[in-house]
Structures are given as C-alpha cells and as structure tokens.
C-alpha cells in the first residue's frame, strides 16, 4: 500500500543513499536524501474537468447519427464526425479523443454525479473522495501557495438538473477539499487582506491555535489549521494574481469568449499555469427534457469557442501534453430528441494530456428507429473511466488507501480496466 | 592506495559535494524556486523557477550545475537575459527548457547549441524569433518541439525550418492555422444560415399558432371531458361483455361435454335431456354475448374516436403553446450563431491581414 505523504519517499532516498557505501550510488544523491523533506515527489499531469451538469446529449454533440436533428460535419481526423454546431472543435480533433461507449448504470442525477465523480456507487456507510480531491492528494504539491483543487461555477441555463454534487475529499482529509470560485469574472473576492491589523490578528490566532492543538492533537484540528494556513499563504502569494482575469490581454479574452463558460476556461488555464493541479468547471442546465436540439444549438457557440480556445491556447503555450481536458456530464440523453436521461450508451471527451488523441474509442449502433441506443464496440464502465483518468494523471488506480475506521479502500473499484487505447 | 583510505576519500568527496548540493538547493528555494524529481524512478531533477519572477537573475543560475543532473528547467517569467543562458548551457543533460515571457533574444539562443539532449524548447512570448531557431536548431539533434507566439514567427521562416529539419515541430504552424480558420469560417457561416432559416420557420409558426392557444384551450377541455366520458362508458360496457363471453364459453364447453357423454351412451335418456337443456342455455347466452359485445364494440369505437380527437387537440395545443418558447430559443440560437460567425470572421481577417 502506498501513502501519498513524503515520509516514505524520504525512507526510499535514505535507503538509496545508504547504497553509497557499496559504491553504486552517485554522490549528489545523498545530499538530496538529506534534503528530501524539501525535494518533492514528482507531479502527475494536471487536469481541467468540464462538467456539463444535467447530462449533455451525445447525439447533439459528439456522436452524431444519420437522421439526427443536427447534421454531422467531418473533423480534421478522417472518419470522425461531430455535429455541425461544433465547427471549431472539429478543427481540433487531432488533439481530442471521444469515448463513445460510456455505459454507466445510473439514470438518476445525483447518484450518477456521485458515481462519475468518485467511481463508486453512493452508499450510506462511507463517503468516497471525488476525482478532484484524489488529484489534490496525489498530484498536488503539499504546502504549495496555490490550492491544488479549484472549482469554478460557470453559471447555469436553467435551474433543474437535480441536486448539485459538491466534491468531497472524504477520507483523504479536509486539506484536499476544493477552493470554490463562485464567479470567474470576480476571481477570489475576499482575497485582498485588509492590510493593517491582519498580521497581528493572525499571530494572535496562531498562538491560540497552537495551544488548542497541543491539548487536542487530532487530525481534524491539524487539517483545519493547515487549510487556514494555506488560505493565508495564498493571500500573500504573488501567484494569487492568477485569479484575476483582467491581467489577460483582450485578444485572448475574446478567443475564449465573453460567456461565463469562456471566462471559466480562461481562468482554468491561468490557474493551471500558476500551479493548480485540478480545476473543475461546472456549467448547469444540460437536463434538456424539452428536447436538446434548440437548447444545445443556443449553447454550442460558446462551448465550441471556449473549449477550442482552451485546447489551442494550451497547445500554443506548449502545455497541452501536461494538461488533460475532460468534457462530460453524469450521463447522456435518449437517442433522437435527447429528452430523457440515458446512461446506457453515451459520449465523453478527453483532450491533451499526452494521450493518444485523434481517435474515437468505442461506438454505438446507428440503425433502427432509435439510433445509438446500444454499444457496438468496447463498453467503458464508470470504474473503467475512473481508472483511466487516474492512470493518465499519473495516479496508480490499483493502490489501496485507509478510509476512516481503518477500513482499507481501493482507490478505484478492483474490477476496473484501463482504456488502453488512450494511453501512450 | 589502501582500500580503507579509498573509502575515506570517497566519503570525503561525497560530503563536500553533499554540502554544495544542499547549499544550492537552499539557494534555489530562497529564490522561490522548487526542485523535484523528474519521476518516481529516474534519478534526474526538475528545477522550477516559474513562480519566482524577478528574483531569478542571470547570476542566480551560475550554481545550478552543482545541484545534480537537471533534465527539466522552468525559467518562465524570470529576469533571465541572454547572459544567463551561458549557465543554462552547462546543464548537459537538459531535455526540456521553458523560457516563456523572458527577454531571451536570438543572440542568446545560440548559447544553447551544446545541449545535445534538448528535446523541448518553449519560447512563447520571449524576444527570440523563428529566425534565431533556424540557426540554432541544426546543432540540436534531439530537438523535437518548439513553441512561439504567432508574433514571433513568419510563414516563410517556418517553412524554411520545416524543410531543413522535417523532424522538428514548431508552433504555431501558419499554414495549418490558416486552414483551420478557413474551415471554421465556412462552417460558422453555414450555421448562421441554418439559424436564420430556423428563426424564419419558428417565427412563422409562432405567428400562426400562438393566437390559437386561446381558441384551442376550451376545445381541448371539452374534448378531454368527452374522451373521459367515452372512456367511462367503454369501461362500463366492457365488463358485462367480457363476463357474458366467459359465461357463453363456459356453457358451450359444458354442452359439448354433455353432448359427448350422450353420444357415448345413446340409451341414456337423462344424458340426452341434460345435453338438450344445456344447448338451450348455451344458445341463449351466446345471443346475449353477441348483443353485449356489439354494445361494447360501439362504445369502444366511440371512445377511440374521442381519444384520438383529444390527442390531436392536445398535440395542436402543445405545438401552439410551445411555439412561443421555440421562437425565443430560435432567436437565442441565431444570436449565438451570429456571434460565432462574427468571431470566425474577425479571426479570419486578423490572420489574412497579417
């Protein structure tokens, strides 16, 4: 079993350094071992999760079918089509991969959101950590100025779409809870310290907290103080400027679009650049029970513009191989008009991240009255998806962790099989 | 040299080296930099100054080679200038070098000619241009990927580089970018045309159907009532008809049984009589069954017609009452498509104006 703390790594380094006397090690290595408390384990990949809350229609986006409401257009990869509403993303196909055979068992909003965020079905006995918190624990840099996991609210079209799922770190510890940005245009409103008395007040607070921690040396107390300290660090960090979109040139802001989703994508890029490991952007209102066609037609331009801008911008900056972009909801929608929930066969998208892009993994059928209702190739279950996501980010999905009460928990369901087609 | 003193010498060297390493590590951290292992298994380092800003100057990099084998070096947004690249050039094992947003020029770039392992070079928003790369790149056999801002490249230089070094990928790629912008423009304009015709249809429907809402509402109410009544009547006649059918079938079977028994024993008068009696009853119930069945059929047909009318009116009403919503959505769709086409046009003009 692996833990994500530094201690083990330090042991490993000491052991390696001990090898010096047998004459096999390199001299610089020992000193690194001494300083191993400061030299950190390597980062995995970073991730931007674009969460389309409510369940986007695959037939109106990335799995077009003959006779569908939208026409299909070719992309830059021969043989892969998307609907006509996504002309810009169609030109980015070489950097994207579709997973067209998601099959995820749950048709209820909240339970499906929980399932797709954690890889486990919701149970009453135990809470599972969400993917963002997992990335915070395994990819994020401990004691960094910037938070490892940030969520951005990209607004909503309509109110419905079921209860909203909020990422929970569960047994990974409260330090891996997300920092929530309520409005991308405003960044972190309360970040500006009211200069004068702050330092003194913090010192006073620190004294009190120290005494409390001495008397009640509990993990939760330490975690709370650590979280507080991180907030203070962020307040003082020059990197906190990343939260301010006004610093971005107008031309780039325009590329991402003036819509709140575009601003969220731009903010995500700035945060990733400044050291955040996992950004989840959620846009609510994809629960299109009155027909997905018109709704998605109205939404498509800003989604198309912002997502393609994000991919192109990261690519231009030479960052795309280190950042995985994931687009998904909790399920797809019924084939045809997209009126109902549909977990049996739907599409998610991954871009960048150094994976094998320019392909569509899996396929659905397109004959009959109800096109696209069954998977004809390579079903991908929720655990499969989660194991794949973890593997791409550089997290071992097969490791076992200790949940509260000393209960060993696999990070991802043991039956999960990684989608090998995606991994380089 | 005796073995013991050999080990002693080795240890001493290691200790001296060790102190230097740790001092350099402290130095890096004092500048706001970070040192990490490149991966869990490799004994190579990544030095990250991308959040250090102006604290990192040319002189600050002089001690880096003593830290250990550095494979990845981030110098984004630092105060590095051309002179500082001399120190960077001493990191022989360097594979990835990040120089975004620095003052590095084409002159400074040439210092890197000795980095035979260098695979990746990021010059996004640096002062250097593709011209500088053109003279540097032939010296770097491992170089695979270089990044610039569009302002730093010209189509001509990029095509020269790709001709000279076909294995090297340089971003941006003007030819591909042009093709992309063309395709986006074409598709966006097609979408705009679709949205325009979609709006025309939605508007026509709205103008036709919306006034009908008021008129359809009472008609639908009546039709619903009629349909409900018809359903009730049909239900009411269905049960007796079905009961009669069951009874008729029952009696028919009983009569057939009795008839068979009577035929088997032609001498038994009692059986014959019973069969005749049952036949009379069976005929009677069959008549009743037919009568009730006809009644039910009539009610059922009436109900079907009423339900159909109700459904039709419902559909009409739904379309009429939805026409406003659809019109609104079509307007939103057109607005979105307009914006999309507008952006595509602007991007197109910007690229071709260059």
């Amino acid at each position: 079993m692996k833990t994500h703390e530094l201690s083990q790594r330090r042991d490993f380094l000491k052991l390696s350094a001990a090898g010096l006397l047998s004459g096999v090690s390199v001299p610089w290595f020992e000193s690194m071992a001494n300083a191993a408390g400061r030299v950190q384990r390597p980062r995995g990949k970073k991730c931007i999760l674009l969460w389309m809350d409510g369940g986007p229609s695959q037939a109106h986006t990335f799995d077009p079918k003959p006779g569908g409401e939208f026409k299909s257009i070719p992309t830059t990869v021969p043989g892969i089509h998307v609907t006509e509403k996504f002309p810009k993303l169609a030109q980015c196909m070489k950097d994207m991969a579709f997973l067209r055979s998601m099959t995820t068992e749950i048709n209820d909003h909240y339970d499906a959101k929980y399932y797709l965020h954690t890889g486990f079905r919701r149970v009453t006995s135990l809470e599972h950590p969400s993917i963002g918190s997992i990335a915070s624990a395994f990819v994020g840099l401990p004691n960094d100025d910037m938070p490892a996991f940030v969520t951005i609210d990209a607004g909503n079209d309509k109110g419905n779409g079921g209860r909203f799922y909020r990422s929970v770190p569960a047994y990974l510890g409260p330090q891996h809870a997300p920092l929530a940005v309520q409005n991308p245009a405003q960044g972190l409103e309360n970040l500006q310290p009211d200069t004068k008395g702050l330092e003194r007040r913090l010192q006073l607070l620190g004294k009190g907290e120290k005494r409390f921690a001495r008397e009640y040396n509990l993990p939760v107390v330490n975690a709370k103080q650590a979280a507080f300290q991180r907030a203070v660090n962020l307040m003082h960090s020059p990197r906190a400027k990343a939260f301010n979109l006004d610093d971005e040139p107008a031309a780039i802001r325009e590329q991402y679009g003036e819509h709140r989703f575009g601003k969220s994508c731009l903010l995500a890029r700035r945060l990733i650049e400044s050291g955040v490991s996992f950004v989840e952007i959620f846009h609510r209102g994809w629960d299109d029970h009155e027909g997905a066609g018109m709704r998605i037609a109205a939404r498509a331009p800003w989604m198309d513009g912002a997502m393609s801008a994000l991919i192109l911008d990261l690519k231009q900056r030479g960052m795309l191989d280190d950042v995985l972009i994931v687009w998904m909801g909790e399920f797809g929608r019924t084939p045809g008009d997209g009126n109902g929930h549909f977990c049996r066969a739907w599409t998610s998208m991954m871009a960048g991240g150094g994976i094998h892009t320019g392909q569509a993994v899996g396929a659905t059928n397109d004959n009959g009255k109800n096109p696209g209702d069954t998977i004809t190739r390579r079903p991908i279950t929720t655990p499969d998806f989660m194991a794949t996501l973890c593997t791409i980010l550089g997290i071992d999905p097969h490791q076992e962790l200790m949940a509260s009460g000393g209960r060993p928990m696999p990070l991802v369901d043991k039956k999960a099989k990684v989608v090998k087609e995606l991994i380089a | 040299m005796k073995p013991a003193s050999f080990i002693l010498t080795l240890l001493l060297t290691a200790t001296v080296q060790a102190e230097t390493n740790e001092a350099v590590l402290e130095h890096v951290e004092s500048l706001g930099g970070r040192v990490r292992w490149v991966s869990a298994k490799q004994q190579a380092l990544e030095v990250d100054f991308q959040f250090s800003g102006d604290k990192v100057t040319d002189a600050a990099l002089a001690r880096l080679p003593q830290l250990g084998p550095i494979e990845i070096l981030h110098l984004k947004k630092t105060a590095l200038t051309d002179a500082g690249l001399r120190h960077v050039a001493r990191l022989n094992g360097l594979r990835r070098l990040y120089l975004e947003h620095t003052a590095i020029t084409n002159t400074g770039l040439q210092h890197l000619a000795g980095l035979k392992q260098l695979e990746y070079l990021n010059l996004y928003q640096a002062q250097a241009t593709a011209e500088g790369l053109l003279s540097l790149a032939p010296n770097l056999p491992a170089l695979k990927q270089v990044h610039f801002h569009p302002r730093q490249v010209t189509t001509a230089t990029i095509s020269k580089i790709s001709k000279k070094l076909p294995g090297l990928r340089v971003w941006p790629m003007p030819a591909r970018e042009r093709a992309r912008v063309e395709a986006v423009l074409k598709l966006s304009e097609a979408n705009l045309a679709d949205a325009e015709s979609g709006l025309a249809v939605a508007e026509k429907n709205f103008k036709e159907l919306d006034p009908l809402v008021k008129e359809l509402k009472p008609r639908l109410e009546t039709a619903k009532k009629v349909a409900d009544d018809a359903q009730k009547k049909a239900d009411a006649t269905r049960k007796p008809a079905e009961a009669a059918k069951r009874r008729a079938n029952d009696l028919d079977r009983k009569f057939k049984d009795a008839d068979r028994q009577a035929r088997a024993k032609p001498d038994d008068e009692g059986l014959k009589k019973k069969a005749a009696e049952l036949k009379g009853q069976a005929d009677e119930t069959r008549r009743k069954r037919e009568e009730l069945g006809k009644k039910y059929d009539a009610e059922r047909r009436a109900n079907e017609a009423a339900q159909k009318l109700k459904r039709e009116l419902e559909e009409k009403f739904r379309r009429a009452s939805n026409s406003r919503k659809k019109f609104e959505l079509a307007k939103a769709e057109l607005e979105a498509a307009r914006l999309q086409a507008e952006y595509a046009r602007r991007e197109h003009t910007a690229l071709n104006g260059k």
Side-chain angles (χ1 to χ4, degrees):
Chain A
M1 202 192 83
K2 258 197 228 167
T3 68
H4 51 278
E5 296 305 328
L6 277 171
S7 56
Q8 266 200 331
R9 171 141 200 105
R10 203 175 294 140
D11 292 344
F12 158 68
L13 290 171
K14 273 184 195 153
L15 282 174
S16 306
L20 180 73
L21 288 174
S22 62
V24 291
S25 196
V26 271
W28 61 271
F29 209 64
E30 191 203 16
S31 61
M32 277 298 158
N34 292 338
R38 297 207 302 276
V39 178
Q40 291 177 324
R41 67 194 165 73
R43 281 177 306 183
K45 298 218 160 145
K46 299 177 168 194
C47 182
I48 299 173
L49 171 59
L50 307 171
W51 185 269
M52 304 295 115
D53 199 71
S57 167
Q58 68 281 5
H60 293 87
T61 51
F62 301 138
D63 194 9
K65 295 291 174 187
E69 287 186 340
F70 294 165
K71 276 182 283 187
S72 76
I73 52 168
T75 65
T76 44
V77 175
I80 301 182
H81 288 67
V82 296
T83 59
E84 59 184 334
K85 304 295 175 191
F86 300 93
K88 287 187 166 177
L89 283 170
Q91 307 310 310
C92 297
M93 192 62 225
K94 284 192 175 149
D95 294 309
M96 307 195 297
F98 293 134
L99 281 65
R100 279 183 175 159
S101 50
M102 301 285 290
T103 178
T104 54
E105 301 171 76
I106 301 180
N107 257 339
D108 166 73
H109 282 295
Y110 188 72
D111 281 3
K113 286 174 197 174
Y114 186 96
Y115 197 28
L116 269 295
H117 270 93
T118 64
F120 288 93
R121 284 168 173 277
R122 194 157 70 97
V123 290
T124 45
S125 57
L126 175 80
E127 200 157 39
H128 301 92
S130 76
I131 180 64
S133 295
I134 292 173
S136 166
F138 292 95
V139 181
L141 300 173
N143 312 319
D144 197 53
D145 291 356
M146 293 297 278
F149 176 21
V150 178
T151 60
I152 305 172
D153 185 349
N156 60 326
D157 274 9
K158 321 176 267 177
N160 57 353
R163 183 145 71 97
F164 184 64
Y165 171 81
R166 287 187 194 284
S167 283
V168 185
Y171 53 79
L172 294 176
Q175 67 272 35
H176 299 300
L179 173 78
V181 175
Q182 306 296 343
N183 183 348
Q186 286 166 355
L188 288 179
E189 283 173 287
N190 299 327
L191 199 60
Q192 286 309 317
D194 69 354
T195 45
K196 271 189 197 160
L198 186 74
E199 286 308 320
R200 207 167 42 78
R201 292 209 303 275
L202 283 176
Q203 271 171 14
L204 194 63
L205 180 70
K207 272 183 202 162
E209 297 236 293
K210 218 183 244 170
R211 201 172 56 225
F212 187 81
R214 241 195 339 264
E215 280 172 39
Y216 305 93
N217 190 11
L218 296 168
V220 63
V221 175
N222 300 332
K224 187 242 154 205
Q225 292 185 5
F228 189 81
Q229 193 51 48
R230 274 191 100 160
V232 175
N233 289 350
L234 180 59
M235 215 183 262
H236 290 120
S237 172
R239 286 197 261 155
K241 276 194 304 216
F243 285 96
N244 188 3
L245 285 185
D246 298 338
D247 294 349
E248 203 67 29
I252 300 248
R253 285 212 304 267
E254 190 178 275
Q255 273 170 23
Y256 279 82
E258 282 304 307
H259 186 274
R260 196 160 146 164
F261 181 74
K263 286 182 181 158
S264 303
C265 287
L266 179 55
L267 181 58
R269 192 217 80 212
R270 287 176 63 85
L271 292 177
I272 291 283
E273 265 186 314
S274 64
V276 174
S277 298
F278 195 102
V279 180
E280 176 172 351
I281 296 173
F282 43 83
H283 181 268
R284 279 169 283 176
W286 289 78
D287 192 24
D288 297 312
H289 284 291
E290 303 92 0
M294 294 287 251
R295 296 265 177 203
I296 291 185
R299 260 175 234 146
W302 54 253
M303 185 185 125
D304 186 44
M307 278 171 70
S308 59
L310 182 61
I311 292 171
L312 290 169
D313 198 11
L314 287 175
K315 186 160 183 144
Q316 179 71 67
R317 286 161 196 263
M319 294 165 64
L320 191 60
D321 283 348
D322 300 319
V323 184
L324 180 75
I325 300 168
V326 182
W327 176 92
M328 68 191 294
E330 62 264 40
F331 36 60
R333 301 203 81 79
T334 39
D337 54 13
N339 266 343
H341 303 172
F342 197 70
C343 66
R344 190 141 43 98
W346 56 281
T347 300
S348 69
M349 188 280 279
M350 288 185 178
I355 59 171
H356 283 310
T357 48
Q359 63 167 337
V361 179
T364 49
N365 68 328
D366 57 15
N367 50 0
K369 283 181 199 156
N370 204 12
D373 63 347
T374 51
I375 289 169
T376 56
R377 209 169 65 223
R378 212 210 180 297
I380 298 169
T381 65
T382 311
D384 291 349
F385 181 81
M386 195 53 78
T388 309
L389 189 49
C390 283
T391 307
I392 295 170
L393 298 185
I395 305 164
D396 175 12
H398 302 298
Q399 62 191 305
E400 220 168 55
L401 302 166
M402 209 51 90
S404 54
R407 176 176 175 175
M409 275 300 295
L411 185 63
V412 178
D413 191 295
K414 282 180 179 155
K415 285 181 297 225
K417 284 195 286 290
V418 171
V419 180
K420 292 240 166 64
E421 293 93 315
L422 289 171
I423 291 168
Chain B
M1 193 187 278
K2 281 177 199 167
S5 65
F6 171 71
I7 288 178
L8 194 67
T9 319
L10 193 91
L11 270 176
L12 274 175
T13 345
T15 322
V16 170
Q17 183 79 37
E19 278 171 7
T20 328
N21 279 353
E22 211 159 338
V24 179
L25 182 61
E26 252 158 42
H27 165 69
V28 168
E29 285 179 349
S30 72
L31 297 171
R34 291 214 179 239
V35 181
R36 289 185 286 267
W37 305 105
V38 162
S39 77
K41 283 164 197 147
Q42 269 172 288
Q43 294 178 1
L45 296 172
E46 171 172 0
V47 178
D48 186 352
F49 280 120
Q50 61 176 321
F51 308 121
S52 305
D54 293 344
K55 280 193 215 160
V56 175
T57 56
D58 296 334
L61 300 177
R63 291 159 74 187
L64 273 190
Q66 289 153 47
L67 187 66
I70 298 172
E71 283 194 358
I72 305 177
L73 179 59
H74 297 264
L75 291 165
K76 176 174 159 185
K77 291 191 178 170
T78 58
L80 181 78
T81 70
D82 288 346
L85 282 189
R86 278 182 214 278
H87 305 306
V88 175
R90 282 159 57 214
L91 304 168
N92 298 325
L94 208 59
R95 287 193 300 112
R96 292 173 79 86
L97 179 57
Y98 294 81
L99 299 171
E100 304 108 298
H101 301 271
T102 57
I104 299 304
T105 70
N106 286 343
T107 325
L109 217 50
Q110 309 311 319
H111 291 313
L112 304 177
L115 296 176
K116 301 301 177 199
Q117 315 285 328
L118 195 68
E119 291 166 15
Y120 172 103
L121 179 59
N122 199 327
L123 292 164
Y124 187 85
Q125 299 269 34
Q127 300 296 315
T129 64
E131 282 293 333
L133 181 69
L134 187 59
S135 48
L136 169 71
N139 300 312
L140 303 176
L143 194 64
K144 288 196 201 95
Q145 194 174 330
V146 180
H147 290 268
F148 287 109
H149 185 273
R151 272 196 305 273
Q152 296 162 273
V153 303
T154 62
T155 316
T157 323
I158 293 291
S159 64
K160 256 188 233 167
I161 293 174
S162 61
K163 231 173 258 165
K164 208 165 168 186
L165 300 157
L168 176 62
R169 299 179 40 94
V170 181
W171 276 271
M173 301 177 177
R176 199 179 283 181
E177 180 65 5
R178 192 151 289 141
R180 184 185 72 80
V181 170
E182 288 287 346
V184 167
L185 181 64
K186 220 171 106 191
L187 290 165
S188 308
E189 280 181 341
N191 271 351
L192 180 59
D194 276 3
E196 269 163 359
S197 59
L199 180 66
V201 172
E203 188 170 11
K204 185 170 158 273
N205 282 343
F206 170 70
K207 283 192 176 143
E208 249 169 46
L209 294 172
D210 195 56
L212 295 182
V213 173
K214 263 188 204 148
E215 181 211 320
L216 282 171
K217 206 169 183 179
R219 275 176 63 198
L220 180 62
E221 296 287 308
T222 323
K224 268 185 185 162
K225 222 171 270 166
V226 171
D228 283 353
D229 285 350
Q231 182 75 50
K232 265 180 213 149
K233 271 188 194 159
D235 285 348
T237 50
R238 197 189 73 216
K239 267 180 198 160
E242 277 170 359
K245 191 177 167 188
R246 265 198 306 277
R247 196 168 141 69
N249 286 345
D250 241 26
L251 276 165
D252 208 41
R253 207 176 49 243
K254 275 184 188 160
F255 159 68
K256 273 177 188 157
D257 280 353
D259 194 42
R260 206 168 41 242
Q261 281 171 18
R263 276 172 210 273
K265 289 182 184 169
D267 300 342
D268 194 330
E269 281 303 319
L271 283 177
K272 220 178 250 174
K273 199 178 158 202
K274 197 184 169 192
E277 218 171 80
L278 278 168
K279 186 175 184 335
Q281 279 179 25
D283 288 346
E284 173 61 26
T285 48
R286 197 176 301 125
R287 264 200 304 281
K288 204 164 185 184
R289 169 194 159 174
E290 270 159 25
E291 186 192 312
L292 284 171
K294 264 182 206 157
K295 209 170 165 190
Y296 170 53
D297 274 348
E299 292 297 350
R300 189 170 51 94
R301 271 195 290 274
N303 181 36
E304 265 165 24
Q307 297 297 339
K308 195 176 159 213
L309 189 69
K310 181 185 114 176
R311 271 198 305 275
E312 277 169 6
L313 273 170
E314 263 175 351
E315 174 63 20
K316 260 188 201 165
F317 182 72
R318 199 181 57 79
R319 278 187 56 202
S321 56
N322 275 352
S323 66
R324 178 184 295 273
K325 205 156 65 183
K326 285 209 167 154
F327 182 42
E328 294 300 323
L329 268 170
K331 273 195 252 177
E333 187 184 348
L334 178 63
E335 199 176 318
R338 262 197 198 128
L339 203 65
Q340 193 172 29
E342 165 70 22
Y343 280 149
R345 254 179 246 131
R346 236 187 275 176
E347 208 177 2
H348 191 260
T349 324
L351 197 72
N352 288 326
K354 214 174 100 173

